[in-house]
Amino acid sequence: MANVTDLQTKYSKLAQEYSKLRAQNQVLKKAVVDEQASSASLKEQLKQRDQSLRKQEQEMDSLSFRNQQLAKRVELLQEELAASEAKGKKGKHGQQTQSVFDEDLQKKIEENERLHIQFYEADEQHKRQEAELRAQLDELEKDSEQHQAVVDGLTTKYMATIERLQSDKARLEVKAQTLEREAKECRMRTDECQQQLRQCQSELNKQVKQSSSVIQEKVPFNDTKFSDYNSLNVPPHNRRHQLKARDVAGQALSFIQDLIAALLNFHSYTEQRVHIYPRDSSIEPISPLNQKFSQYLHENAAYVRPLEDSFLQLHQSITEDTVTVLETVVKLKSFADNFCSYTHFLQKILPYQLKSLEEECEASLCTAALTVKNQELQTDMKRVTSVFEKLQNYINLLALPSVQQDAMPLSSTSAVFTQLAACLHSLHDAIKEMSKHYNQKAGLEKELPTITQKLSTTTECLLGSLGSLTSSTGKIATFFSNNLDFFTSSGYSPRGSTVTLNPLQAETMLANKKKAAAYIHAIKKPRPQSVPHREALSNRRILTSSTESREGLTQQVQQSQEKIARLEQEKEHWLLEAQLGKVRLEKENQRIGDLEAQLAAALGGSPNSQPAATSTLAQSHEEAEAEPKAAVKETTLCTSLVGMLCTTPTIEHVGDEESREQLIKTHYMTRVGELTTQLQISDSKSVHFHSECRALAKRLAIAEKSRETLSEEVKMANQNITRLQDELTTTKRSYEDQLSMMSDHLCSMNETLTKQREEIDTLKLGNKGNAKKNKGR
């Protein structure tokens, strides 16, 4: 999955870079088009300047030709003047001719000066135009250099992008191949898991068959006398169903609270409107019918508030430790009764609503359009009341199983829930239609000239309450339709039957839940080692096959109890004897001390008294030893769980009896321990196999999902690769076309620049020649 996320991030990065490059490409295209337009305009300007330059050259040529002619004319005139001066004055006619020549010469001189001035001005204008053309040529060269640098940068950048995309493509191909290999490995692992799952399922089926056969043969759980109260027919407690029911009830409570608030606002604002329109109660008294209608509307909270309270109690009664079905939800009956009372309230105020609308139609300012809208509202109110009556019937049907058992089968319950959902949608449609007609009516009332601010404010509040009522009914209808499968499903049903759950079975289920919880709590505590099941069965066979009958064992138990009672009495007797023995021992010790004192005194007094004291001490010791020996020689009868044994309680016999009891006890304890360990091992193995099968099933499902996702991702990756390849080819083609266009454009620009330079050079040479000619003149 990490490789897939990396691919997606890289694809997104490539897409972003591609979008940036496309944007830059568009900008460059626009810049190139602008430069082409500017170059075309510059070409036009250059052509115009060339034409003007050619005109000026032609004018200069004509002027130079005219100047030459005038110069030749001046020279001829000067020669004629010199000849005329040489000949001298030849009369009056010669003077007149000379004056004519002088005037003509003066005119020619003035014309020559004027032509020189024009030539100078044309030369200056030509120089200015040349300077301007040179500046424009420099700007064009700079622009061409900048464009060339931009084109070079773009080519390098696009080539780097193309190389990067090619490397990404190769890397993606490698990753796609690795993903394909991983998908193949996943398929192989899923096949192996499926095989293991089949094996586990077959083993579990075998174990289930064995367990069911053992249960049928060895575990007599069936109650043949009362089949209705059979423990196997009690369903298990469904905690998930309870949590879902709690959640659904909480959502329904919030929606019903919104509905209750909207209904309270609607009835309150309707009451205010009755006091304002068609007669204002502050100015004149309203009609008796509207007074009665207002009185009923004032009592709406007494019918609407209990709905919220009863449903809140219903929500609080649904907990995790209860059983939530129609047969056990007792609080639903109180909600149904409150809903029935509210429906009766709507039926009671319906005639007054209709009469109030008719009174509005009879008002003097009521137009025909308002009358039509009031009639539509009457129809809507009738429809809303009828829908509430249908809802009351369906809710009463749902509340009936909690009061009367076997009142409605499961199929009928599903049908009632379905019809209830359809009825909720009908209620939403009816209230939506009434809200629409009320909006239209409010719009028509605003056009009336006598409308007051108080009435318009109350109407707006009434429209707002209708809008909230429409939204809350729509939410309730949508919520009920979405959870219809949960309502119609049987969360609890007895095993092997389609009969609904009765309250007695619900109590039994909760009792079993408490017992199971207590058992689980007890399991967590440390306990002695139990006997395996097989060992216990073998012990049972050994015990049942023994020669001792049940009556003998009960007799032995009674004898053992009697023996225990007698031994308790003897124990008390011997406790008293032991206390008496202690007292005697103290007395004997005191007496022995006295005798020893007497003996010491006698020894100190006369040596003949020593044998007498010694004989007295020995006699006392013999008396003390004779009492326990007489008590030991009595015979006793010993009983136990194994049997009875009459023994004379000597030290050896007491040891044999205790060793025999200890051996039997240790044998049975070891046997019970072995059976317990075997049972625990088999239980742990079955639990382990079950958990492994569930884990394998989950892993198989996860592997299937991952395989599907990986296959989809591989498809998407292949599609992205093909798309990127297509985009790469298109971008390469577009870039190549743009580069070829730019290169052609640069070639044409270079050709035009060379032509302009040649023309400028020729113009310079021509100007230099003309300048030399003018200087020579």
Side-chain angles (χ1 to χ4, degrees):
M1 295 300 290
N3 294 327
V4 174
T5 54
D6 294 336
L7 289 173
Q8 290 178 353
T9 53
K10 288 179 180 179
Y11 287 151
S12 61
K13 289 180 180 179
L14 288 173
Q16 291 175 1
E17 290 180 359
Y18 178 69
S19 61
K20 290 180 182 178
L21 292 174
R22 286 189 67 181
Q24 293 177 0
N25 189 14
Q26 294 293 330
V27 173
L28 288 173
K29 281 183 179 179
K30 187 176 180 181
V32 169
V33 171
D34 294 337
E35 290 298 329
Q36 288 177 355
S38 62
S39 63
S41 63
L42 289 173
K43 284 181 181 179
E44 292 293 330
Q45 291 179 4
L46 188 61
K47 287 180 181 179
Q48 291 176 2
R49 297 294 173 82
D50 289 337
Q51 290 176 0
S52 62
L53 187 61
R54 287 171 185 169
K55 288 180 181 179
Q56 290 176 1
E57 286 178 354
Q58 290 176 1
E59 289 178 357
M60 287 177 66
D61 292 335
S62 62
L63 288 172
S64 61
F65 180 71
R66 182 65 176 166
N67 193 8
Q68 289 175 3
Q69 287 181 353
L70 290 173
K72 288 179 181 180
R73 182 67 176 165
V74 168
E75 288 177 357
L76 290 173
L77 289 172
Q78 286 178 356
E79 288 177 357
E80 289 178 357
L81 181 60
S84 63
E85 286 178 354
K87 289 179 181 180
K89 294 179 180 179
K90 294 180 180 180
K92 192 175 183 178
H93 180 71
Q95 291 178 355
Q96 291 177 354
T97 306
Q98 185 66 32
S99 62
V100 170
F101 285 154
D102 290 336
E103 290 176 0
D104 193 8
L105 180 62
Q106 187 66 32
K107 289 179 179 179
K108 296 297 181 182
I109 290 167
E110 290 175 359
E111 187 178 0
N112 193 10
E113 289 178 357
R114 184 173 56 78
L115 289 173
H116 274 290
I117 292 167
Q118 288 179 357
F119 180 75
Y120 180 74
E121 289 177 355
D123 192 10
E124 290 294 329
Q125 187 177 3
H126 175 69
K127 287 180 180 178
R128 285 196 302 273
Q129 289 178 355
E130 185 178 359
E132 290 176 359
L133 289 172
R134 285 183 180 280
Q136 290 179 1
L137 183 61
D138 293 334
E139 289 179 358
L140 289 172
E141 287 179 351
K142 289 179 182 179
D143 291 337
S144 65
E145 289 176 357
Q146 290 177 359
H147 286 306
Q148 185 64 35
V150 170
V151 169
D152 294 336
L154 288 174
T155 51
T156 54
K157 186 177 180 181
Y158 290 152
M159 290 301 291
T161 305
I162 290 166
E163 290 176 357
R164 189 172 64 254
L165 289 173
Q166 288 178 352
S167 62
D168 291 337
K169 176 188 172 184
R171 189 167 60 254
L172 290 173
E173 288 178 352
V174 173
K175 286 186 178 179
Q177 291 176 359
T178 55
L179 288 173
E180 288 178 355
R181 287 198 296 272
E182 290 178 357
K184 289 180 181 178
E185 292 177 357
C186 289
R187 292 193 196 96
M188 294 172 66
R189 286 199 296 270
T190 51
D191 295 335
E192 292 177 357
C193 291
Q194 286 178 354
Q195 292 178 359
Q196 293 177 1
L197 181 62
R198 293 192 193 95
Q199 293 176 359
C200 292
Q201 285 178 350
S202 62
E203 291 177 359
L204 287 174
N205 289 327
K206 291 179 182 178
Q207 292 178 3
V208 166
K209 289 179 181 178
Q210 292 176 0
S211 301
S212 61
S213 63
V214 168
I215 288 169
Q216 291 175 0
E217 293 175 0
K218 305 296 180 182
V219 186
F221 285 145
N222 294 326
D223 191 350
T224 57
K225 188 174 182 181
F226 301 104
S227 60
D228 293 336
Y229 303 146
N230 196 341
S231 60
L232 289 178
N233 290 332
V234 177
H237 188 267
N238 194 347
R239 182 173 177 271
R240 186 177 298 173
H241 178 79
Q242 289 301 120
L243 294 175
K244 177 68 175 177
R246 178 76 175 174
D247 186 20
V248 168
Q251 295 179 16
L253 178 62
S254 64
F255 292 142
I256 286 176
Q257 287 174 349
D258 296 337
L259 179 64
I260 296 302
L263 288 172
L264 289 171
N265 291 330
F266 175 69
H267 293 313
S268 300
Y269 291 132
T270 305
E271 181 186 358
Q272 293 179 12
R273 181 179 169 84
V274 166
H275 284 283
I276 297 171
Y277 189 78
R279 296 178 185 177
D280 194 350
S281 60
S282 61
I283 299 172
E284 56 179 333
I286 60 176
S287 63
L289 185 139
N290 281 337
Q291 288 180 359
K292 195 70 175 176
F293 184 35
S294 174
Q295 182 181 356
Y296 286 150
L297 286 174
H298 192 69
E299 299 172 355
N300 70 88
Y303 298 97
V304 178
R305 288 293 183 189
L307 289 173
E308 182 179 359
D309 297 336
S310 59
F311 200 87
L312 180 61
Q313 293 176 2
L314 175 62
H315 173 255
Q316 291 174 355
S317 66
I318 300 172
T319 61
E320 185 180 345
D321 296 329
T322 58
V323 178
T324 304
V325 290
L326 291 177
E327 289 77 9
T328 59
V329 182
V330 183
K331 298 293 182 180
L332 186 60
K333 180 62 179 173
S334 62
F335 177 75
D337 295 338
N338 292 323
F339 196 87
C340 183
S341 63
Y342 178 69
T343 306
H344 291 324
F345 169 72
L346 291 178
Q347 292 173 354
K348 182 171 66 175
I349 65 174
L350 179 62
Y352 295 97
Q353 286 178 334
L354 301 179
K355 291 292 184 181
S356 177
L357 290 172
E358 289 178 359
E359 187 176 346
E360 289 182 8
C361 293
E362 292 173 358
S364 60
L365 295 175
C366 184
T367 60
L370 274 175
T371 305
V372 172
K373 294 303 171 186
N374 287 329
Q375 291 174 358
E376 290 177 351
L377 283 173
Q378 287 178 348
T379 306
D380 294 335
M381 289 175 181
K382 291 178 182 177
R383 182 184 173 191
V384 169
T385 307
S386 65
V387 172
F388 267 102
E389 291 175 359
K390 289 182 181 178
L391 285 174
Q392 171 199 345
N393 295 328
Y394 291 132
I395 292 172
N396 286 330
L397 284 174
L398 291 177
L400 188 60
S402 62
V403 181
Q404 181 180 358
Q405 294 185 9
D406 299 331
M408 188 166 50
L410 188 61
S411 59
S412 301
T413 305
S414 302
V416 169
F417 275 116
T418 307
Q419 293 297 325
L420 182 60
C423 194
L424 287 172
H425 283 286
S426 300
L427 177 64
H428 172 62
D429 295 336
I431 294 177
K432 186 177 179 182
E433 194 71 20
M434 185 170 68
S435 176
K436 183 180 75 173
H437 292 156
Y438 231 112
N439 276 307
Q440 294 172 357
K441 178 185 175 183
L444 294 173
E445 285 179 350
K446 287 181 180 179
E447 298 175 357
L448 296 176
T450 58
I451 192 73
T452 61
Q453 182 65 30
K454 189 176 180 181
L455 178 60
S456 62
T457 305
T458 305
T459 305
E460 288 177 359
C461 294
L462 187 60
L463 291 175
S465 64
L466 278 173
S468 61
L469 192 61
T470 305
S471 64
S472 60
T473 53
K475 289 178 182 177
I476 291 173
T478 307
F479 160 76
F480 203 87
S481 298
N482 293 334
N483 294 287
L484 188 60
D485 294 335
F486 172 74
F487 290 133
T488 55
S489 63
S490 59
Y492 298 96
S493 61
R495 300 175 183 175
S497 66
T498 57
V499 183
T500 57
L501 189 71
N502 54 37
L504 184 59
Q505 289 175 340
E507 292 177 2
T508 308
M509 182 197 307
L510 292 176
N512 291 337
K513 179 179 178 294
K514 291 178 182 179
K515 289 180 182 179
Y519 178 71
I520 294 298
H521 182 68
I523 282 175
K524 293 180 180 179
K525 294 181 180 180
R527 54 177 180 160
Q529 190 175 7
S530 61
V531 182
H533 183 64
R534 294 180 181 176
E535 188 174 351
L537 290 176
S538 63
N539 291 335
R540 184 174 178 275
R541 294 192 192 96
I542 293 169
L543 290 173
T544 53
S545 63
S546 63
T547 57
E548 295 178 353
S549 62
R550 190 170 183 176
E551 290 81 4
L553 290 174
T554 54
Q555 187 178 1
Q556 287 182 5
V557 170
Q558 291 175 358
Q559 291 176 359
S560 298
Q561 290 176 353
E562 293 174 357
K563 182 68 176 176
I564 289 168
R566 189 170 64 252
L567 287 173
E568 288 288 336
Q569 294 175 359
E570 291 180 358
K571 179 183 176 183
E572 292 177 357
H573 172 71
W574 287 114
L575 285 173
L576 294 173
E577 290 291 334
Q579 291 178 359
L580 292 172
K582 285 182 180 179
V583 173
R584 290 174 184 174
L585 180 62
E586 290 176 356
K587 289 181 178 179
E588 288 294 328
N589 289 330
Q590 187 176 4
R591 190 168 62 84
I592 288 168
D594 295 338
L595 290 172
E596 287 178 353
Q598 293 175 4
L599 181 62
L603 290 173
S606 64
N608 293 326
S609 62
Q610 183 176 4
T614 306
S615 63
T616 305
L617 183 62
Q619 187 179 359
S620 64
H621 278 292
E622 287 176 358
E623 290 176 358
E625 289 177 357
E627 291 178 359
K629 285 181 180 179
V632 168
K633 288 181 181 179
E634 294 179 358
T635 59
T636 58
L637 180 64
C638 297
T639 60
S640 64
L641 295 175
V642 180
M644 295 189 301
L645 181 64
C646 295
T647 59
T648 301
T650 61
I651 296 172
E652 295 177 355
H653 288 167
V654 170
D656 292 337
E657 181 184 355
E658 290 178 354
S659 63
R660 183 175 64 82
E661 291 285 341
Q662 189 67 29
L663 288 173
I664 294 170
K665 184 178 180 181
T666 53
H667 170 70
Y668 281 111
M669 288 299 291
T670 53
R671 188 62 177 166
V672 167
E674 290 176 359
L675 292 173
T676 306
T677 53
Q678 290 178 5
L679 180 61
Q680 289 177 352
I681 289 167
S682 61
D683 290 340
S684 61
K685 282 183 179 180
S686 62
V687 171
H688 177 66
F689 286 145
H690 180 65
S691 61
E692 279 188 353
C693 290
R694 290 181 64 185
L696 288 172
K698 289 181 180 178
R699 286 176 63 187
L700 179 61
I702 293 168
E704 287 290 336
K705 291 181 180 178
S706 61
R707 183 174 65 81
E708 292 176 357
T709 53
L710 287 172
S711 61
E712 290 177 358
E713 289 173 357
V714 167
K715 289 180 182 178
M716 292 294 292
N718 291 325
Q719 291 177 0
N720 289 325
I721 288 168
T722 53
R723 183 173 57 80
L724 288 172
Q725 287 177 352
D726 296 335
E727 290 178 356
L728 182 63
T729 52
T730 53
T731 50
K732 284 175 69 177
R733 288 176 184 173
S734 62
Y735 291 155
E736 288 174 356
D737 295 337
Q738 290 176 6
L739 289 172
S740 62
M741 290 173 64
M742 291 293 288
S743 59
D744 295 336
H745 177 65
L746 289 173
C747 291
S748 62
M749 289 292 289
N750 290 325
E751 289 178 357
T752 53
L753 286 172
T754 52
K755 289 180 181 179
Q756 288 177 1
R757 286 174 183 173
E758 290 176 356
E759 290 176 357
I760 289 168
D761 292 335
T762 53
L763 289 172
K764 285 180 180 179
L765 293 174
N767 288 329
K768 287 180 180 179
N770 292 327
K772 286 180 181 180
K773 287 179 181 179
N774 291 328
K775 287 180 181 179
R777 289 175 185 174

